[in-house]
Amino acid sequence: MSTTSLPSPEHAAELRGALLSAGFTADGLLDLLGAPAYAALARSETVPALRATRVGGDGPLATLVRLFLLQQPAPYVHAAGALPVEAALADGWLRREGDEVHATVDVRPYGGPDGEDWFIVSDLGCAVGGAGGIGSRGREPGTAVVLGVGGASTTLAGITVRVPVATALDLGTGSGIQALHAAHHATRVTATDVNPRALEFTRLTLALSGAPEAELLAGSLFEPVGDATYDLIVSNPPFVISPGARLTYRDGGMSGDDLCRTLVQEAGAHLNPGGYAQFLGNWQHVEGEDWHDRVRSWVPRGCDAWIVQRDVQDVTQYAELWLRDAGDHRADPAEYQRRYEDWLDEFEASKTKAVGFGWITLRRTDAPEPSVVVEEWPHSVEQPLGDAVLAHFARQDYLRAHDDAALLSGHFLLAAEVVQEQVGAPGAEDPEHVVLRQNRGMRRATKVDTVGAGFAGVCDGSLSAGRILDAIAQLMQEDPVVLRDRTPEAIRMLVEQGFLEPVNGPAQRSAP
């Protein structure tokens, strides 16, 4: 297939029906391939799956897996037993060579959030697991390449707020995974990309998944949408900090982390009141500069923000990761060394010592003092996290509206799945410290003192915070006034991190 010719979605509904009838779904693949081979596909390793399809014979499902996932030719007669082969040939999903047919695109089953059977369409050899050395697949890396679903794509899909909205924008849509998710809960979806071929792949992904059509616009960043505003903006942008722009799917063509900064700064003007913008991004750790301050400066006026750094790599690790991604490690050793040097020269010139990766969420607000939280959390989390994102901003609203006195009047409930751990030497009378740990959502852990642990343990919503502290003061023989004065900061922290949930307590019959 040429780099400009893509399949037509004219008979996508008929093709979709055949794929579903054959069991060409996420669940069907797992049944056919088994867990190890299925997991290997996510690492761009196809040999285990190919062996499994040989055991599966020449039935429709095995034939479709070999064609669309493994990019192996199939006899025409087998393809005809699996799908409407003449329509697939006419529309360009397949091409024929003698008695065999070949897939022209990768078609990957993908399970929707409510069990929907979706399909992601991308360039051959560019599906789950990322590029995996795309530069060594018989073509020079370039702007035409459109990837399928990788880890970054599913991460962004998992953290995105999923509430019904009127309008959603998928900026830098690629093969359309974010637009597909948005179509599930948005009345109107707009998808943009600097690569026109990506828009055509998005059209195919939506059509083959049975989703409504989206508005498709070509261009960079927010230029294609003018001054339009949205309830939800999502983007998995080409955030890689690299010397030059060899690969459009990953290299933004701007210096350093300027693309991510520009994207975040411009997003505020395109959000409706209360709207969310959610991105993945990289940012530089520059000598003599706090990375927290760097990314905090990106947040536009009129927006709350929650920025979470999930990983940090030194510049050598970072360069090696993306050199492998492009397949440069398979190139001539001298050429690999030259390109590696280019990366290190770029970082040295900008005094960059490391690169951070994480999530950025903005929410449009009219609050006089927006909440901006920048933190590092490299530990495991429980996806999907969309509800946790909503809860985070709801807690910020609560804390912004409650001073210390109001906090002491409030009623709180210990969040579900929170456990207490005591750490200390074996046999010691008292623990060295107490840790509260969440087993859901962000799965946070935080140290608390004896008062904090006792307070959290009795929060069942029945008593105000002030009354609980008075009881603790009596038990510990402390001055209740002093305890009330020094504890609100700890309560605020436990609320902010989701260990305590504000509730509407019973009517107060006396002062707290």
Side-chain angles (χ1 to χ4, degrees):
M1 183 181 65
S2 73
T3 58
T4 57
S5 177
L6 290 175
S8 163
E10 182 178 354
H11 297 96
E14 185 179 356
L15 180 58
R16 171 179 171 78
L19 298 180
L20 295 177
S21 295
F24 190 63
T25 65
D27 289 341
L29 289 185
L30 184 59
D31 290 341
L32 174 69
L33 303 179
Y38 187 79
L41 281 177
R43 303 190 298 270
S44 295
E45 296 291 347
T46 58
V47 173
L50 186 58
R51 288 171 62 89
T53 61
R54 293 189 190 121
V55 175
D58 298 320
L61 179 55
T63 297
L64 293 172
V65 170
R66 285 194 289 268
L67 270 174
F68 288 117
L69 267 68
L70 308 180
Q71 281 95 60
Q72 299 290 317
Y76 176 94
V77 64
H78 294 165
L83 73 169
V85 67
E86 288 302 322
L89 287 166
D91 285 354
W93 297 91
L94 301 174
R95 59 181 173 82
R96 185 169 183 174
E97 293 184 4
D99 293 331
E100 292 184 329
V101 294
H102 299 251
T104 61
V105 290
D106 186 293
V107 177
R108 187 87 25 166
Y110 180 83
D114 295 322
E116 300 89 354
D117 290 313
W118 291 342
F119 299 96
I120 310 300
V121 187
S122 65
D123 269 315
L124 295 173
C126 302
V128 176
I134 196 169
S136 63
R137 295 181 183 273
R139 56 181 172 236
E140 178 64 22
T143 58
V145 173
V146 176
L147 299 187
V149 182
S153 302
T154 55
T155 293
L156 179 59
I159 68 172
T160 299
V161 170
R162 301 297 177 193
V163 295
V165 295
T167 56
L169 170 65
D170 175 14
L171 191 152
T173 186
S175 56
I177 171 107
Q178 310 304 332
L180 180 57
H181 273 281
H184 190 58
H185 62 103
T187 303
R188 181 169 61 86
V189 176
T190 299
T192 71
D193 205 289
V194 71
N195 180 2
R197 288 185 77 247
L199 300 177
E200 294 307 310
F201 272 109
T202 295
R203 190 191 309 278
L204 295 173
T205 290
L206 294 174
L208 198 59
S209 298
E213 293 184 2
E215 178 185 32
L216 304 175
L217 303 174
S220 178
L221 296 175
F222 289 101
E223 179 271 330
V225 302
D227 58 0
T229 57
Y230 301 88
D231 302 315
L232 175 67
I233 300 172
V234 292
S235 182
N236 177 17
F239 52 68
V240 176
I241 300 169
S242 61
R246 292 175 60 219
L247 297 166
T248 297
Y249 73 85
R250 71 167 203 197
D251 306 318
M254 295 186 184
S255 176
D257 53 19
D258 282 353
L259 183 136
C260 289
R261 174 184 56 79
T262 302
L263 177 61
V264 174
Q265 289 179 337
E266 294 183 356
H270 294 275
L271 282 176
N272 291 326
Y276 285 86
Q278 298 187 266
F279 316 111
L280 301 184
N282 274 176
W283 41 81
Q284 294 162 267
H285 286 223
V286 178
E287 183 178 348
E289 178 186 69
D290 189 324
W291 73 267
H292 297 80
D293 295 335
R294 184 180 189 87
V295 295
R296 186 180 285 109
S297 71
W298 297 356
V299 178
R301 285 187 175 184
C303 286
D304 293 325
W306 185 21
I307 301 171
V308 182
Q309 179 168 276
R310 295 286 292 153
D311 188 27
V312 181
Q313 292 182 312
D314 66 48
V315 293
T316 59
Q317 292 173 314
Y318 189 80
E320 291 162 13
L321 169 67
W322 294 108
L323 287 166
R324 287 194 301 271
D325 174 83
D328 292 333
H329 60 308
R330 299 190 179 102
D332 176 74
E335 180 65 12
Y336 175 79
Q337 181 176 343
R338 184 190 68 78
R339 288 178 174 172
Y340 201 147
E341 292 273 9
D342 287 345
W343 283 75
L344 297 184
D345 288 345
E346 179 90 357
F347 288 129
E348 184 176 354
S350 62
K351 298 183 178 180
T352 298
K353 300 301 181 184
V355 178
F357 166 81
W359 317 327
I360 300 173
T361 299
L362 306 178
R363 182 185 64 167
R364 192 74 188 175
T365 181
D366 58 2
E369 295 185 13
S371 163
V372 178
V373 176
V374 182
E375 62 176 322
E376 184 168 19
W377 188 251
H379 310 292
S380 64
V381 299
E382 181 190 44
Q383 286 275 34
L385 279 169
D387 288 345
V389 172
L390 287 171
H392 167 88
F393 287 100
R395 293 193 298 269
Q396 297 304 314
D397 288 342
Y398 176 87
L399 293 172
R400 193 158 41 199
H402 290 73
D403 60 15
D404 286 354
L407 209 62
L408 292 174
S409 298
H411 293 243
F412 302 95
L413 188 68
L414 185 65
E417 309 269 342
V418 173
V419 298
Q420 176 179 302
E421 300 173 359
Q422 295 186 351
V423 181
E429 183 175 347
D430 296 313
E432 293 178 11
H433 58 262
V434 177
V435 174
L436 298 182
R437 187 178 302 278
Q438 301 168 351
N439 287 323
R440 302 296 302 273
M442 290 292 289
R443 292 178 174 164
R444 296 186 185 276
T446 188
K447 291 182 182 180
V448 292
D449 60 15
T450 304
V451 173
F455 180 87
V458 298
C459 280
D460 61 3
S462 62
L463 295 175
S464 69
R467 287 190 177 278
I468 293 174
L469 291 177
D470 289 345
I472 292 175
Q474 185 175 6
L475 288 172
M476 299 180 65
Q477 297 183 342
E478 287 196 26
D479 185 337
V481 175
V482 173
L483 195 60
R484 280 174 174 248
D485 285 345
R486 69 178 174 87
T487 306
E489 182 178 354
I491 297 174
R492 195 171 293 274
M493 181 274 294
L494 291 173
V495 172
E496 182 176 43
Q497 295 192 1
F499 290 94
L500 296 180
E501 299 173 353
V503 297
N504 294 321
Q508 301 299 299
R509 290 183 289 273
S510 61

